[in-house]
Amino acid sequence: MQCPHYDAGRCRSCTLIEIARPEQVRDKESHVRELLAAYDDVSWLPAVVGPESGFRNKAKMVVAGTVEEPVLGIVGPPGPYAGQSVDLTDCGLYPPALQAAFGPLAELITRARLQPYDLAPPADGARRKVTPRAAARRGELKHVLVTLSPDGELMVRLVLRSTEALDRIRKHLPWLHERLPGLAVLSVNVQPAHAAVLEGEQEIVLTERATLPMRLDGVTLHLRPQSFFQTNTGVAEALYRQARRWIDEIDPATLWDLYCGVGGFALHVAAPGRSVTGIEISAEAVASATTTASELATLPAGAVVGSRDADWWRRAMAGVRFAAGDATGFALGSGDDPELVVVNPPRRGIGTDLARRLEASAVQHVLYSSCQARTLARDLAEMPSLRPRRAVLLDMFPQTSHYEVLVLLSRG
Protein backbone atom coordinates (compact mmCIF):
# COMPACT_ATOMS: atom_id res chain seq x y z
CA MET A 1 0.00 0.00 0.00
CA GLN A 2 1.27 3.47 -0.90
CA CYS A 3 0.47 6.42 1.36
CA PRO A 4 1.49 10.04 0.74
CA HIS A 5 0.93 10.89 4.40
CA TYR A 6 3.40 8.25 5.56
CA ASP A 7 5.93 9.20 2.88
CA ALA A 8 5.77 12.86 3.96
CA GLY A 9 6.02 12.04 7.68
CA ARG A 10 2.53 13.40 8.42
CA CYS A 11 1.25 10.06 9.79
CA ARG A 12 3.07 7.03 11.17
CA SER A 13 0.10 4.92 12.25
CA CYS A 14 0.79 2.22 9.65
CA THR A 15 4.07 1.09 11.17
CA LEU A 16 4.55 -1.85 8.77
CA ILE A 17 3.59 -0.13 5.53
CA GLU A 18 7.11 -0.48 4.11
CA ILE A 19 6.98 -4.27 4.56
CA ALA A 20 5.28 -6.40 1.90
CA ARG A 21 1.95 -7.78 3.09
CA PRO A 22 2.91 -11.49 2.85
CA GLU A 23 5.95 -10.78 4.99
CA GLN A 24 3.81 -8.89 7.51
CA VAL A 25 1.57 -11.93 7.90
CA ARG A 26 4.49 -14.35 8.16
CA ASP A 27 6.06 -12.21 10.88
CA LYS A 28 2.82 -12.13 12.83
CA GLU A 29 2.46 -15.89 12.55
CA SER A 30 6.03 -16.34 13.74
CA HIS A 31 5.35 -14.02 16.66
CA VAL A 32 2.27 -15.83 17.95
CA ARG A 33 3.75 -19.28 17.35
CA GLU A 34 6.81 -18.31 19.35
CA LEU A 35 4.64 -17.09 22.22
CA LEU A 36 2.75 -20.41 22.18
CA ALA A 37 5.82 -22.57 21.51
CA ALA A 38 5.32 -24.48 24.76
CA TYR A 39 2.24 -26.09 23.20
CA ASP A 40 3.77 -28.23 20.47
CA ASP A 41 0.62 -30.13 19.47
CA VAL A 42 -1.41 -27.14 18.26
CA SER A 43 -2.94 -27.55 14.80
CA TRP A 44 -2.62 -24.21 12.98
CA LEU A 45 -4.97 -23.25 10.17
CA PRO A 46 -3.74 -20.95 7.36
CA ALA A 47 -3.87 -17.30 8.35
CA VAL A 48 -7.00 -15.37 7.42
CA VAL A 49 -6.01 -12.40 5.25
CA GLY A 50 -8.31 -9.70 3.87
CA PRO A 51 -7.60 -6.57 1.79
CA GLU A 52 -4.58 -4.50 2.79
CA SER A 53 -6.41 -1.20 2.23
CA GLY A 54 -9.97 0.10 2.39
CA PHE A 55 -10.86 -2.39 5.12
CA ARG A 56 -11.69 -0.19 8.10
CA ASN A 57 -15.36 0.24 8.96
CA LYS A 58 -14.62 2.89 11.58
CA ALA A 59 -12.89 6.29 11.61
CA LYS A 60 -11.87 8.14 14.77
CA MET A 61 -11.05 11.66 13.63
CA VAL A 62 -9.57 14.41 15.77
CA VAL A 63 -11.15 17.75 14.87
CA ALA A 64 -8.86 20.76 14.51
CA GLY A 65 -8.64 23.90 12.41
CA THR A 66 -11.41 26.48 12.51
CA VAL A 67 -15.17 26.60 12.12
CA GLU A 68 -14.74 27.86 8.57
CA GLU A 69 -11.99 25.36 7.69
CA PRO A 70 -12.20 22.33 9.97
CA VAL A 71 -9.58 19.59 9.71
CA LEU A 72 -10.54 15.95 10.33
CA GLY A 73 -7.64 13.63 11.03
CA ILE A 74 -4.89 13.38 13.61
CA VAL A 75 -2.34 15.45 15.45
CA GLY A 76 0.98 15.04 13.64
CA PRO A 77 3.59 12.58 15.01
CA PRO A 78 7.07 13.54 16.24
CA GLY A 79 9.05 15.17 13.47
CA PRO A 80 8.34 18.07 11.11
CA TYR A 81 4.56 17.75 11.60
CA ALA A 82 4.62 17.36 15.38
CA GLY A 83 1.57 18.98 16.95
CA GLN A 84 0.12 20.04 13.59
CA SER A 85 -3.34 19.17 12.31
CA VAL A 86 -3.16 16.48 9.65
CA ASP A 87 -6.12 15.93 7.29
CA LEU A 88 -6.64 12.16 6.94
CA THR A 89 -9.98 12.15 5.12
CA ASP A 90 -8.27 10.40 2.19
CA CYS A 91 -6.58 7.73 4.35
CA GLY A 92 -6.13 4.57 2.31
CA LEU A 93 -7.40 2.39 5.16
CA TYR A 94 -10.91 3.83 4.72
CA PRO A 95 -13.22 2.51 1.98
CA PRO A 96 -14.57 5.07 -0.52
CA ALA A 97 -18.00 5.17 1.16
CA LEU A 98 -16.39 6.21 4.44
CA GLN A 99 -14.14 8.79 2.79
CA ALA A 100 -17.17 10.28 1.04
CA ALA A 101 -18.83 11.03 4.39
CA PHE A 102 -16.11 13.38 5.63
CA GLY A 103 -16.91 16.27 3.27
CA PRO A 104 -20.54 16.67 4.38
CA LEU A 105 -19.51 16.24 8.02
CA ALA A 106 -16.91 19.00 7.68
CA GLU A 107 -19.61 21.20 6.15
CA LEU A 108 -21.91 20.38 9.08
CA ILE A 109 -19.21 21.69 11.42
CA THR A 110 -19.27 25.00 9.55
CA ARG A 111 -23.05 25.22 9.27
CA ALA A 112 -23.67 24.38 12.94
CA ARG A 113 -20.78 26.60 14.09
CA LEU A 114 -19.04 23.80 15.98
CA GLN A 115 -15.80 25.32 17.17
CA PRO A 116 -12.98 22.72 17.17
CA TYR A 117 -11.56 22.08 20.62
CA ASP A 118 -8.02 23.45 20.34
CA LEU A 119 -5.47 22.33 22.91
CA ALA A 120 -2.41 23.19 20.83
CA PRO A 121 0.35 25.25 22.50
CA PRO A 122 0.47 28.98 21.72
CA ALA A 123 1.80 29.75 18.26
CA ASP A 124 4.63 31.85 19.68
CA GLY A 125 5.95 28.82 21.57
CA ALA A 126 5.46 30.49 24.95
CA ARG A 127 5.24 28.01 27.82
CA ARG A 128 1.94 29.00 29.38
CA LYS A 129 -0.05 26.78 31.70
CA VAL A 130 -3.37 25.76 30.08
CA THR A 131 -6.01 25.57 32.78
CA PRO A 132 -9.28 23.69 32.24
CA ARG A 133 -11.12 26.99 32.32
CA ALA A 134 -8.90 28.49 29.64
CA ALA A 135 -9.19 25.40 27.48
CA ALA A 136 -12.97 25.55 27.76
CA ARG A 137 -12.91 28.91 25.93
CA ARG A 138 -11.19 27.34 22.96
CA GLY A 139 -13.82 25.18 21.41
CA GLU A 140 -16.49 22.50 21.68
CA LEU A 141 -15.99 19.74 19.10
CA LYS A 142 -13.30 17.20 19.98
CA HIS A 143 -13.81 14.16 17.73
CA VAL A 144 -15.93 12.88 14.88
CA LEU A 145 -16.45 9.11 15.03
CA VAL A 146 -17.93 7.41 11.96
CA THR A 147 -18.89 3.75 11.46
CA LEU A 148 -19.85 2.23 8.10
CA SER A 149 -22.09 -0.83 7.87
CA PRO A 150 -21.70 -3.56 5.21
CA ASP A 151 -24.87 -2.17 3.61
CA GLY A 152 -23.48 1.35 3.31
CA GLU A 153 -25.29 2.93 6.26
CA LEU A 154 -23.52 5.27 8.67
CA MET A 155 -23.38 5.97 12.37
CA VAL A 156 -21.91 9.38 13.19
CA ARG A 157 -20.95 10.44 16.70
CA LEU A 158 -19.90 14.01 17.53
CA VAL A 159 -17.83 14.21 20.72
CA LEU A 160 -18.49 17.63 22.28
CA ARG A 161 -17.39 19.35 25.44
CA SER A 162 -20.99 20.23 26.36
CA THR A 163 -24.56 20.21 25.06
CA GLU A 164 -24.39 23.88 24.03
CA ALA A 165 -24.59 23.11 20.30
CA LEU A 166 -27.40 20.52 20.37
CA ASP A 167 -30.10 22.80 18.93
CA ARG A 168 -27.85 23.94 16.09
CA ILE A 169 -27.01 20.36 15.18
CA ARG A 170 -30.69 19.39 15.24
CA LYS A 171 -31.49 22.33 12.98
CA HIS A 172 -29.12 21.06 10.30
CA LEU A 173 -30.02 17.37 10.62
CA PRO A 174 -32.48 17.40 7.66
CA TRP A 175 -29.75 18.96 5.50
CA LEU A 176 -27.27 16.31 6.63
CA HIS A 177 -29.71 13.54 5.75
CA GLU A 178 -29.90 14.97 2.23
CA ARG A 179 -26.12 15.07 1.89
CA LEU A 180 -25.65 11.67 3.54
CA PRO A 181 -28.63 9.52 2.51
CA GLY A 182 -27.05 6.54 4.26
CA LEU A 183 -27.01 8.28 7.65
CA ALA A 184 -28.78 5.94 10.08
CA VAL A 185 -27.66 7.24 13.47
CA LEU A 186 -26.36 10.63 14.60
CA SER A 187 -25.50 11.15 18.25
CA VAL A 188 -23.68 13.60 20.47
CA ASN A 189 -21.30 12.25 23.08
CA VAL A 190 -20.51 14.67 25.91
CA GLN A 191 -16.91 14.59 27.12
CA PRO A 192 -16.34 17.65 29.35
CA ALA A 193 -13.00 16.60 30.83
CA HIS A 194 -9.83 18.47 29.92
CA ALA A 195 -8.04 15.18 29.25
CA ALA A 196 -6.94 12.84 26.46
CA VAL A 197 -10.13 10.76 26.70
CA LEU A 198 -11.90 9.76 23.50
CA GLU A 199 -15.47 9.91 24.77
CA GLY A 200 -17.63 10.52 27.82
CA GLU A 201 -20.46 8.62 29.49
CA GLN A 202 -23.41 10.70 28.25
CA GLU A 203 -24.73 9.88 24.76
CA ILE A 204 -27.60 11.80 23.16
CA VAL A 205 -29.11 10.23 20.02
CA LEU A 206 -30.59 12.82 17.65
CA THR A 207 -32.03 10.53 14.98
CA GLU A 208 -35.12 8.32 15.10
CA ARG A 209 -32.93 5.24 14.79
CA ALA A 210 -30.54 4.42 17.62
CA THR A 211 -28.74 1.37 16.20
CA LEU A 212 -26.68 0.64 13.10
CA PRO A 213 -27.38 -2.80 11.59
CA MET A 214 -24.12 -4.67 10.92
CA ARG A 215 -24.82 -7.72 8.74
CA LEU A 216 -22.14 -10.36 9.25
CA ASP A 217 -22.33 -13.78 7.68
CA GLY A 218 -26.11 -13.65 7.57
CA VAL A 219 -26.66 -12.38 11.12
CA THR A 220 -27.54 -8.70 11.52
CA LEU A 221 -25.99 -7.36 14.72
CA HIS A 222 -27.24 -4.06 16.09
CA LEU A 223 -24.54 -1.55 17.00
CA ARG A 224 -25.36 1.24 19.43
CA PRO A 225 -23.18 4.36 19.72
CA GLN A 226 -21.13 3.20 22.72
CA SER A 227 -20.81 -0.45 21.71
CA PHE A 228 -17.52 -2.07 20.67
CA PHE A 229 -17.29 -3.64 17.23
CA GLN A 230 -14.41 -5.12 15.25
CA THR A 231 -12.94 -2.58 12.80
CA ASN A 232 -12.44 -5.06 9.94
CA THR A 233 -15.83 -6.40 8.86
CA GLY A 234 -14.60 -9.03 6.41
CA VAL A 235 -12.11 -10.59 8.81
CA ALA A 236 -14.66 -10.39 11.65
CA GLU A 237 -17.01 -12.51 9.52
CA ALA A 238 -14.27 -15.10 9.11
CA LEU A 239 -13.65 -15.03 12.86
CA TYR A 240 -17.29 -15.83 13.67
CA ARG A 241 -17.50 -18.49 10.96
CA GLN A 242 -14.47 -20.33 12.35
CA ALA A 243 -15.82 -20.12 15.88
CA ARG A 244 -19.11 -21.62 14.72
CA ARG A 245 -17.38 -24.49 12.90
CA TRP A 246 -15.30 -25.50 15.92
CA ILE A 247 -18.16 -25.15 18.39
CA ASP A 248 -20.63 -27.05 16.22
CA GLU A 249 -18.12 -29.92 16.03
CA ILE A 250 -18.01 -30.03 19.84
CA ASP A 251 -21.77 -29.42 20.08
CA PRO A 252 -21.89 -28.27 23.71
CA ALA A 253 -25.27 -28.17 25.42
CA THR A 254 -24.24 -25.17 27.55
CA LEU A 255 -22.01 -22.23 26.69
CA TRP A 256 -20.93 -18.90 28.16
CA ASP A 257 -19.81 -16.00 25.99
CA LEU A 258 -17.82 -13.72 28.29
CA TYR A 259 -17.01 -10.18 27.10
CA CYS A 260 -19.77 -10.80 24.57
CA GLY A 261 -20.06 -7.23 23.24
CA VAL A 262 -23.04 -6.93 20.88
CA GLY A 263 -23.36 -10.71 20.78
CA GLY A 264 -21.17 -11.54 17.79
CA PHE A 265 -19.95 -14.90 19.05
CA ALA A 266 -23.05 -15.85 21.07
CA LEU A 267 -25.48 -15.28 18.20
CA HIS A 268 -23.30 -16.97 15.60
CA VAL A 269 -22.78 -20.13 17.69
CA ALA A 270 -26.32 -20.44 19.05
CA ALA A 271 -28.25 -23.56 18.02
CA PRO A 272 -31.50 -25.32 18.93
CA GLY A 273 -31.16 -27.08 22.27
CA ARG A 274 -28.02 -25.13 23.19
CA SER A 275 -28.04 -22.81 26.23
CA VAL A 276 -25.98 -19.68 25.54
CA THR A 277 -25.35 -16.95 28.14
CA GLY A 278 -23.64 -13.72 27.06
CA ILE A 279 -22.07 -11.44 29.66
CA GLU A 280 -20.83 -7.92 28.89
CA ILE A 281 -20.00 -4.95 31.13
CA SER A 282 -21.59 -2.46 28.70
CA ALA A 283 -25.35 -2.19 29.12
CA GLU A 284 -25.53 -0.55 25.66
CA ALA A 285 -23.91 -3.59 24.07
CA VAL A 286 -26.22 -5.96 25.94
CA ALA A 287 -29.22 -3.99 24.70
CA SER A 288 -27.90 -4.36 21.16
CA ALA A 289 -27.40 -8.11 21.53
CA THR A 290 -30.86 -8.53 23.02
CA THR A 291 -32.40 -6.63 20.11
CA THR A 292 -30.78 -8.96 17.58
CA ALA A 293 -31.83 -12.07 19.51
CA SER A 294 -35.41 -10.80 19.67
CA GLU A 295 -35.49 -10.14 15.92
CA LEU A 296 -34.16 -13.62 15.14
CA ALA A 297 -36.69 -15.21 17.49
CA THR A 298 -39.60 -13.51 15.73
CA LEU A 299 -38.69 -13.91 12.05
CA PRO A 300 -41.75 -14.30 9.82
CA ALA A 301 -42.51 -17.77 8.55
CA GLY A 302 -40.53 -18.54 5.44
CA ALA A 303 -37.71 -16.13 6.23
CA VAL A 304 -34.16 -17.42 5.82
CA VAL A 305 -31.15 -15.91 7.64
CA GLY A 306 -27.70 -17.31 6.92
CA SER A 307 -29.18 -20.50 5.36
CA ARG A 308 -31.31 -21.16 8.47
CA ASP A 309 -35.09 -20.84 8.38
CA ALA A 310 -37.29 -18.95 10.83
CA ASP A 311 -38.18 -22.04 12.85
CA TRP A 312 -34.51 -22.94 13.36
CA TRP A 313 -33.75 -19.42 14.62
CA ARG A 314 -36.80 -19.40 16.91
CA ARG A 315 -35.62 -22.62 18.55
CA ALA A 316 -32.00 -21.42 18.72
CA MET A 317 -32.89 -18.10 20.34
CA ALA A 318 -35.01 -19.84 22.98
CA GLY A 319 -31.78 -20.77 24.76
CA VAL A 320 -30.00 -17.42 24.43
CA ARG A 321 -29.85 -14.74 27.11
CA PHE A 322 -27.67 -11.69 27.69
CA ALA A 323 -26.89 -9.84 30.90
CA ALA A 324 -24.83 -6.79 31.82
CA GLY A 325 -22.06 -7.50 34.27
CA ASP A 326 -18.38 -8.08 34.86
CA ALA A 327 -17.18 -11.28 33.17
CA THR A 328 -14.91 -12.34 36.02
CA GLY A 329 -17.50 -11.51 38.66
CA PHE A 330 -20.13 -13.53 36.82
CA ALA A 331 -17.86 -16.57 36.50
CA LEU A 332 -16.73 -16.41 40.12
CA GLY A 333 -20.29 -16.09 41.34
CA SER A 334 -21.77 -18.88 39.27
CA GLY A 335 -22.27 -22.26 40.87
CA ASP A 336 -22.77 -24.13 37.60
CA ASP A 337 -20.17 -24.65 34.88
CA PRO A 338 -20.98 -24.80 31.15
CA GLU A 339 -19.35 -27.27 28.80
CA LEU A 340 -17.68 -24.50 26.77
CA VAL A 341 -16.69 -20.89 27.42
CA VAL A 342 -15.95 -18.25 24.79
CA VAL A 343 -13.75 -15.36 25.93
CA ASN A 344 -13.05 -12.28 23.83
CA PRO A 345 -11.33 -9.92 26.28
CA PRO A 346 -9.70 -6.53 25.68
CA ARG A 347 -5.93 -6.34 25.26
CA ARG A 348 -5.31 -6.89 28.97
CA GLY A 349 -6.59 -10.48 28.66
CA ILE A 350 -8.89 -12.36 31.02
CA GLY A 351 -6.55 -12.04 34.01
CA THR A 352 -5.47 -14.37 36.78
CA ASP A 353 -8.78 -14.63 38.64
CA LEU A 354 -10.84 -15.71 35.65
CA ALA A 355 -8.11 -17.96 34.27
CA ARG A 356 -7.80 -19.80 37.58
CA ARG A 357 -11.59 -20.06 37.85
CA LEU A 358 -11.71 -21.76 34.45
CA GLU A 359 -8.76 -24.00 35.35
CA ALA A 360 -10.52 -25.23 38.49
CA SER A 361 -13.92 -25.64 36.80
CA ALA A 362 -15.62 -28.49 34.97
CA VAL A 363 -15.46 -26.53 31.70
CA GLN A 364 -14.19 -28.87 28.98
CA HIS A 365 -13.40 -26.34 26.25
CA VAL A 366 -12.48 -22.66 26.01
CA LEU A 367 -12.52 -20.67 22.79
CA TYR A 368 -10.18 -17.72 23.32
CA SER A 369 -10.24 -14.82 20.85
CA SER A 370 -7.27 -12.57 21.60
CA CYS A 371 -6.12 -9.24 20.21
CA GLN A 372 -2.93 -9.34 22.32
CA ALA A 373 -1.02 -12.61 22.11
CA ARG A 374 1.28 -11.75 25.03
CA THR A 375 -1.61 -11.63 27.48
CA LEU A 376 -3.06 -14.73 25.84
CA ALA A 377 0.18 -16.62 26.58
CA ARG A 378 0.13 -15.33 30.16
CA ASP A 379 -3.48 -16.46 30.64
CA LEU A 380 -2.80 -19.89 29.15
CA ALA A 381 -0.04 -20.43 31.71
CA GLU A 382 -2.72 -20.09 34.41
CA MET A 383 -4.84 -22.83 32.78
CA PRO A 384 -2.45 -25.78 32.30
CA SER A 385 -5.28 -28.32 32.16
CA LEU A 386 -6.86 -26.53 29.19
CA ARG A 387 -4.45 -27.18 26.33
CA PRO A 388 -4.49 -25.30 23.01
CA ARG A 389 -5.56 -27.73 20.28
CA ARG A 390 -6.39 -25.55 17.30
CA ALA A 391 -5.48 -22.00 16.36
CA VAL A 392 -5.69 -19.51 13.54
CA LEU A 393 -4.25 -16.02 13.08
CA LEU A 394 -6.56 -13.42 11.59
CA ASP A 395 -4.88 -10.35 10.10
CA MET A 396 -7.49 -7.95 11.45
CA PHE A 397 -5.15 -4.92 11.40
CA PRO A 398 -3.02 -4.83 8.23
CA GLN A 399 -0.04 -2.44 8.09
CA THR A 400 0.43 -2.73 11.87
CA SER A 401 1.94 -5.35 14.18
CA HIS A 402 -1.47 -6.05 15.74
CA TYR A 403 -3.55 -9.11 14.92
CA GLU A 404 -6.31 -11.37 16.23
CA VAL A 405 -5.74 -15.02 17.11
CA LEU A 406 -8.46 -17.59 17.80
CA VAL A 407 -7.43 -20.56 19.95
CA LEU A 408 -9.51 -23.60 20.90
CA LEU A 409 -8.53 -25.12 24.26
CA SER A 410 -9.59 -28.56 25.47
CA ARG A 411 -9.14 -30.13 28.86
CA GLY A 412 -6.64 -32.94 29.31
Side-chain angles (χ1 to χ4, degrees), residues 18 40 224 251:
E18 296 183 63
D40 54 8
R224 291 175 182 266
D251 194 21

PDB file of all heavy atoms in Angstrom, residues 18 40 224 251:
ATOM      1  N   GLU A  18       5.974  -0.265   5.006  1.00  0.00           N
ATOM      2  CA  GLU A  18       7.110  -0.482   4.113  1.00  0.00           C
ATOM      3  C   GLU A  18       7.460  -1.958   3.938  1.00  0.00           C
ATOM      4  O   GLU A  18       8.346  -2.298   3.149  1.00  0.00           O
ATOM      5  CB  GLU A  18       8.331   0.282   4.643  1.00  0.00           C
ATOM      6  CG  GLU A  18       8.147   1.790   4.666  1.00  0.00           C
ATOM      7  CD  GLU A  18       9.395   2.525   5.115  1.00  0.00           C
ATOM      8  OE1 GLU A  18      10.414   2.421   4.415  1.00  0.00           O
ATOM      9  OE2 GLU A  18       9.350   3.179   6.174  1.00  0.00           O
ATOM     10  N   ASP A  40       3.253 -27.759  21.752  1.00  0.00           N
ATOM     11  CA  ASP A  40       3.765 -28.226  20.467  1.00  0.00           C
ATOM     12  C   ASP A  40       2.782 -29.075  19.678  1.00  0.00           C
ATOM     13  O   ASP A  40       3.096 -29.531  18.571  1.00  0.00           O
ATOM     14  CB  ASP A  40       5.067 -29.010  20.666  1.00  0.00           C
ATOM     15  CG  ASP A  40       4.923 -30.149  21.676  1.00  0.00           C
ATOM     16  OD1 ASP A  40       3.778 -30.428  22.098  1.00  0.00           O
ATOM     17  OD2 ASP A  40       5.952 -30.750  22.036  1.00  0.00           O
ATOM     18  N   ARG A 224     -24.981  -0.036  18.820  1.00  0.00           N
ATOM     19  CA  ARG A 224     -25.357   1.236  19.434  1.00  0.00           C
ATOM     20  C   ARG A 224     -24.119   2.129  19.542  1.00  0.00           C
ATOM     21  O   ARG A 224     -22.988   1.651  19.432  1.00  0.00           O
ATOM     22  CB  ARG A 224     -25.980   1.001  20.814  1.00  0.00           C
ATOM     23  CG  ARG A 224     -27.337   0.327  20.747  1.00  0.00           C
ATOM     24  CD  ARG A 224     -27.901  -0.006  22.119  1.00  0.00           C
ATOM     25  NE  ARG A 224     -29.163  -0.696  21.991  1.00  0.00           N
ATOM     26  CZ  ARG A 224     -30.361  -0.094  22.015  1.00  0.00           C
ATOM     27  NH1 ARG A 224     -30.420   1.219  22.213  1.00  0.00           N
ATOM     28  NH2 ARG A 224     -31.466  -0.791  21.861  1.00  0.00           N
ATOM     29  N   ASP A 251     -20.335 -29.371  19.789  1.00  0.00           N
ATOM     30  CA  ASP A 251     -21.772 -29.422  20.076  1.00  0.00           C
ATOM     31  C   ASP A 251     -22.072 -29.393  21.572  1.00  0.00           C
ATOM     32  O   ASP A 251     -22.731 -30.287  22.113  1.00  0.00           O
ATOM     33  CB  ASP A 251     -22.406 -30.657  19.439  1.00  0.00           C
ATOM     34  CG  ASP A 251     -23.936 -30.577  19.419  1.00  0.00           C
ATOM     35  OD1 ASP A 251     -24.467 -29.447  19.509  1.00  0.00           O
ATOM     36  OD2 ASP A 251     -24.584 -31.628  19.316  1.00  0.00           O
TER      37      ASP A 251
END
